[in-house]
Amino acid sequence: MRPDSFASRLLSWYRQHGRHDLPWQHNPTPYRVWISEIMLQQTQVVKVLDYYPRFMARFPTVADLAAASQDEVLQLWAGLGYYTRARNLHRCAQAVMALGGEFPVGSQSEMEALPGIGRSTAAAIRAFSTGQRATILDGNVKRVLTRYAGIEGWPGQKTIEAQLWQLAEDLTPQQDVAAYTQAIMDLGATLCKPRQPACPRCPHQQQCVAYATDQTACLPTPKPKKTRPQKERHFLLLEHQQQWLLERRPDQGIWGGLWSLPEFATSAGLQAWLAERALTGRLEAQPQIEHAFTHYQLIIRPWRLRLGAQSLIDGPVTASSDAPAQIWYDPQQPAALGLPAPIEKLLQAQRAAQQGQLF
DNA sequence: AAGGCGGGGCA
DNA sequence: TGCCCAGCCTT
């Protein structure tokens, strides 16, 4: 191993600062390593330290685990969460017994064929229990490598993940693979943390691209926000003597209790509402506005209708008792009303457009 | 309350 | 094959 390689720097750091006293690091048989890896996938080390000894005491060997009832396995797992994986654990033990009672640690592909064991976990078990050269890529390692090499793009994306696997394999040393594997996981867990990484204590500070380019905070690239569902709503801009009709919204739902434009699910609904009130005139579609909520995106489709001075008495448009409260609103003399920001913006834009027309 | 997580599962 | 989800925990 070259003395200034990624692996040698990492191993030096690990010998001095890594954890060497975890229960599964002693007597690292495939069975003991496997149980720890599955537990650690979903749980922090402190909690695993609580569960692991009890589990191993009850099921000292893979044969004991395979022979147990699923209920008993789940009982010892209770509180760790992700119970699908406890069921896989049980199924996997039985699969190993069907193979003769030994994990097929010599073969990556045979390991991956076992229930609950994928590429990274298979490699971890092989590296820790046999020292064979095998490469892991879990969340910690992804974070270390994206920063170290300055790899941009969401690591869940196929091309990025393939790049990371390639890099991970390239950096895996020929010797000391077990220690190296533990070391890179420890580095990610203790120094190269998601937030506020301890770069001054990192053995790779001089070589780290993210550190050099001040990108540690934005790498790994976060998962793209999934496109929120879109809701289209039609809003009526009913104008009368330079005022607009507002309705008080119900207390429940978005903009509860605020004053807003009459809202409709469809343009047909809007037209029916106008027809019921014998409100006629030219209905003009206005440019749509998009407004993002946390759980969906609202497409505001405004429709403007100018009422002639003679066509309406001053007062509410609807008089029935269960109808929403209504007022005429003059943006030039705004009353102390709560208006949703996008509605306020829409009204201001209308006013600006009208003033523009005057000149 | 939103994102992270290894593998499973479905298209 | 490739994409998305389950289910719990942390920030």
Side-chain angles (χ1 to χ4, degrees), chain A residues 26-47:
Chain A
H26 304 132
N27 185 20
T29 65
Y31 176 68
R32 289 171 53 81
V33 171
W34 168 56
I35 300 295
S36 73
E37 284 301 314
I38 301 298
M39 284 187 176
L40 288 164
Q41 275 174 10
Q42 46 205 1
T43 314
Q44 48 195 20
V45 172
V46 204
K47 198 157 190 189

Side-chain angles (χ1 to χ4, degrees), chain A residues 231-237 261-276 283 298-303:
Chain A
K231 266 193 202 177
E232 189 184 54
R233 288 293 181 269
H234 300 264
F235 288 82
L236 175 63
L237 286 155
L261 299 168
E263 177 192 328
F264 304 89
T266 65
S267 57
L270 184 150
Q271 285 168 344
W273 187 92
L274 291 172
E276 280 167 27
L283 196 54
L298 180 66
I299 313 286
I300 295 175
R301 301 203 44 191
W303 297 85

Side-chain angles (χ1 to χ4, degrees), chain A residues 53-327:
Chain A
R54 273 187 283 141
F55 198 93
M56 297 310 289
R58 172 58 189 88
F59 306 119
T61 69
V62 66
D64 297 315
L65 180 55
S69 71
Q70 182 179 280
D71 278 346
E72 198 176 359
V73 178
L74 287 170
Q75 191 188 328
L76 269 136
W77 199 267
L80 277 177
Y82 302 91
Y83 301 97
T84 303
R85 299 181 188 193
R87 285 188 289 274
N88 280 338
L89 207 68
H90 192 218
R91 286 174 54 217
C92 183
Q94 294 174 337
V96 169
M97 290 314 290
L99 293 175
E102 298 292 335
F103 280 83
V105 283
S107 161
Q108 175 76 17
S109 62
E110 285 179 43
M111 288 294 290
E112 286 181 28
L114 294 167
I117 297 181
R119 182 171 175 182
S120 190
T121 303
I125 297 170
R126 297 179 62 227
F128 287 137
S129 68
T130 74
Q132 290 173 94
R133 189 166 182 272
T135 298
I136 65 159
L137 186 67
D138 67 1
N140 284 327
V141 177
K142 283 178 180 171
R143 190 168 54 253
V144 170
L145 296 187
T146 52
R147 286 174 176 166
Y148 178 72
I151 295 173
E152 296 177 27
W154 178 52
Q157 198 184 324
K158 270 288 161 270
T159 56
I160 305 295
E161 195 178 29
Q163 218 179 321
L164 288 168
W165 271 112
Q166 184 61 56
L167 178 59
E169 283 169 2
D170 293 346
L171 294 175
T172 303
Q174 302 291 336
Q175 308 294 329
D176 290 330
V177 176
Y180 171 85
T181 303
Q182 188 63 58
I184 195 167
M185 292 168 93
D186 275 18
L187 187 80
T190 63
L191 294 191
C192 198
K193 296 178 293 181
R195 289 168 222 201
Q196 300 179 338
C199 301
R201 288 190 279 139
C202 179
H204 301 118
Q205 189 183 350
Q206 297 303 312
Q207 296 79 18
C208 179
V209 173
Y211 182 79
T213 59
D214 197 22
Q215 285 187 288
T216 54
C218 60
L219 290 175
T221 303
K223 179 188 175 125
K225 309 278 182 199
K226 62 178 170 191
T227 54
R228 299 175 227 265
Q230 292 191 340
K231 266 193 202 177
E232 189 184 54
R233 288 293 181 269
H234 300 264
F235 288 82
L236 175 63
L237 286 155
L238 189 64
E239 184 189 353
H240 179 56
Q241 294 175 347
Q242 296 181 6
Q243 302 181 107
W244 280 281
L245 181 73
L246 296 187
E247 287 185 351
R248 192 173 193 281
R249 298 182 62 90
D251 289 338
Q252 308 303 320
I254 67 158
W255 303 335
L258 299 186
W259 291 83
S260 180
L261 299 168
E263 177 192 328
F264 304 89
T266 65
S267 57
L270 184 150
Q271 285 168 344
W273 187 92
L274 291 172
E276 280 167 27
R277 289 156 183 79
L279 297 171
T280 55
R282 201 157 65 86
L283 196 54
E284 300 167 86
Q286 305 292 306
Q288 72 176 35
I289 295 174
E290 294 175 6
H291 188 256
F293 289 97
T294 45
H295 44 306
Y296 63 90
Q297 185 171 32
L298 180 66
I299 313 286
I300 295 175
R301 301 203 44 191
W303 297 85
R304 191 176 75 169
L305 181 65
R306 298 182 79 157
L307 298 175
Q310 75 290 351
S311 68
L312 194 71
I313 55 163
D314 289 6
V317 178
T318 305
S320 103
S321 59
D322 59 342
Q326 296 175 325
I327 54 163

